[in-house]
Amino acid sequence: MNKPLFLRIVNRLAAEVSYFQPKKDATFRNGISPLQQCTAAIRQLAYGAAADSVDEYVRIGETTARKCLEHFVVAIVDLFGTEYLRRPTTEDLERLLFYGEKRGFPGMVGSIDCMHWKWKNCPTAWKGMYSRGTEKPTIVLEAVASQDLWIWHAFFGAPGTSNDLNVLAQSPVFNDIIYGRAPQMNYYVNGREYNLSYYLTDGIYPEWATFVKSIQRPQHPKHRLFAEHQEGARKDVERAFGVLQSRFAMIKNPCRFLSKGKIAYIMRACLILHNMIVEDERYSYTLYDKEEFEQDEIHTFSVEMPTNLEGLGDGHTRIRDRQAHHQLKEDLIENIWTTFGNE
């Protein structure tokens, strides 16, 4: 995390959260500064260390350091969650569709997958629900990530016995489409018009119109090329999980908290901080220049805010349309072969 971003967080918390505002102790001396409190909290998140590991560095005791962490994650979620865990806006969707089209997948808005976080201090009564066989208890995070590693959707809290399909059944990832709140979009693949965006997935996900999977054991050159590009682009969410765990060792290591509510706040705070870092650094490592998107005035897609979706039919039926899934997949195979087949 760059220093200006860290100071921006410290100043915002000191201005709007009473716990982080400077105070005086009983002898009228200055108490712990907001800089010390935020440093103690972020060091626990970044290094996954115990609360008493920061006592010498920032001169804060174990109990105070733990309270700083608990107040810090709640404040991050309350102050920054609306902006950094938002649904994609019209401008965001246009950028995602532009980058997806550059990679050979018009209409793609990201890739979806799940990650397990080990829960070391899971209550004994819950271990059967959160453990698979002889493995340790885990909590599942479902996420959607784009090429720049921004996490657009996060659903956390499903027990570790759930596979990706069980988590998908509980997830609100398609609620906007089902209830008519999603922006309307139109794009063309191989000369055919579509109006539902989609995610790239691995093999366990169902054959829905909103998912595009790879081809197992491809034989034809077109199929091999499609599988190569699909599996390469699908790794965006895997890269996002890896970067998230490398930035916050607390998520990589087994969780020592007992309360599931506190664990959920920690996960959401880490996701928000991750997106803040991505926003601060994204144009230093992305494959495409943002000026290319801003200067390109001719697009093969359009995005509009929803108005009246009654004529589009039932959302569940549209999402679970297997015929549309197979048709989209065939068109994408032809599109990728046309675009990259001669390279």
Side-chain angles (χ1 to χ4, degrees):
M1 182 184 296
N2 292 330
K3 183 177 179 180
L5 176 59
F6 173 70
L7 293 178
R8 172 191 163 199
I9 294 173
V10 173
N11 294 333
R12 181 81 182 272
L13 266 60
E16 301 188 27
V17 181
S18 60
Y19 182 83
F20 292 95
Q21 293 174 353
K23 303 179 181 67
K24 295 185 180 296
D25 60 15
T27 60
F28 297 99
R29 293 183 302 177
N30 291 329
I32 304 172
S33 70
L35 195 62
Q36 288 176 283
Q37 294 172 314
C38 294
T39 301
I42 289 184
R43 284 182 68 89
Q44 292 177 71
L45 293 175
Y47 298 113
D52 60 355
S53 64
V54 299
D55 53 359
E56 293 184 1
Y57 184 75
V58 292
R59 305 184 67 81
I60 290 179
E62 178 183 1
T63 303
T64 307
R66 188 179 297 111
K67 287 184 178 180
C68 287
L69 175 62
E70 294 175 3
H71 285 85
F72 179 81
V73 295
V74 173
I76 289 293
V77 173
D78 292 343
L79 296 180
F80 299 100
T82 305
E83 180 179 358
Y84 289 97
L85 276 183
R86 67 180 185 272
R87 301 183 182 92
T89 62
T90 302
E91 293 76 14
D92 295 329
L93 284 173
E94 288 179 350
R95 187 179 68 253
L96 293 174
L97 293 174
F98 175 78
Y99 292 151
E101 187 174 1
K102 286 287 186 180
R103 305 173 76 182
F105 292 94
M108 180 193 73
V109 292
S111 52
I112 186 171
D113 205 355
C114 293
M115 180 191 82
H116 289 254
W117 185 14
K118 290 184 179 179
W119 191 4
K120 181 179 179 180
N121 291 331
C122 174
T124 304
W126 291 359
K127 284 189 176 180
M129 181 171 62
Y130 285 85
S131 305
R132 281 188 177 183
T134 58
E135 297 181 5
K136 299 295 183 181
T138 59
I139 307 177
V140 183
L141 167 69
E142 179 193 69
V144 171
S146 54
Q147 183 269 334
D148 59 1
L149 303 184
W150 184 287
I151 295 176
W152 292 104
H153 158 78
F155 173 68
F156 179 74
T161 51
S162 305
N163 60 18
D164 292 5
L165 291 179
N166 304 137
V167 177
L168 178 64
Q170 309 171 46
S171 171
V173 63
F174 294 126
N175 281 3
D176 284 353
I177 298 177
I178 293 173
Y179 297 113
R181 298 192 298 262
Q184 302 178 44
M185 62 179 63
N186 293 285
Y187 60 93
Y188 293 87
V189 184
N190 196 32
R192 197 184 308 272
E193 183 179 4
Y194 293 91
N195 52 33
L196 272 181
S197 59
Y198 58 88
Y199 303 115
L200 301 184
T201 68
D202 53 18
I204 191 174
Y205 283 87
E207 295 179 344
W208 289 359
T210 50
F211 293 141
V212 171
K213 303 191 291 184
S214 182
I215 299 175
Q216 295 184 355
R217 296 180 294 275
Q219 303 297 323
H220 194 277
K222 289 184 179 181
H223 294 172
R224 286 198 295 268
L225 184 64
F226 171 80
E228 177 184 341
H229 281 263
Q230 195 275 351
E231 292 168 8
R234 180 173 58 83
K235 294 300 180 182
D236 291 344
V237 66
E238 300 287 354
R239 292 191 300 118
F241 287 151
V243 171
L244 182 68
Q245 290 179 325
S246 66
R247 283 175 174 160
F248 303 103
M250 179 171 282
I251 296 178
K252 184 178 181 180
N253 301 331
C255 180
R256 296 188 297 269
F257 281 83
L258 185 66
S259 169
K260 191 177 175 182
K262 293 180 181 179
I263 296 173
Y265 264 110
I266 290 172
M267 176 60 77
R268 288 178 61 86
C270 289
L271 292 170
I272 292 169
L273 292 171
H274 167 84
N275 281 348
M276 295 177 75
I277 298 173
V278 168
E279 182 187 57
D280 191 45
E281 303 176 354
R282 82 162 37 122
Y283 295 115
S284 64
Y285 60 81
T286 49
L287 295 175
Y288 308 106
D289 187 0
K290 69 171 183 177
E291 294 182 358
E292 182 181 1
F293 165 69
E294 294 172 352
Q295 295 173 0
D296 188 2
E297 299 180 355
I298 301 176
H299 302 304
T300 59
F301 55 84
S302 64
V303 180
E304 299 177 358
M305 293 307 294
T307 53
N308 182 11
L309 301 184
E310 294 180 357
L312 295 180
D314 180 51
H316 290 279
T317 305
R318 296 173 62 218
I319 292 172
R320 291 168 170 78
D321 190 347
R322 294 187 63 184
Q323 183 178 357
H325 166 84
H326 291 293
Q327 184 63 62
L328 174 61
K329 193 171 183 179
E330 291 298 325
D331 287 337
L332 286 172
I333 291 172
E334 294 296 331
N335 180 72
I336 289 179
W337 180 257
T338 303
T339 307
F340 304 104
N342 296 326
E343 293 184 357

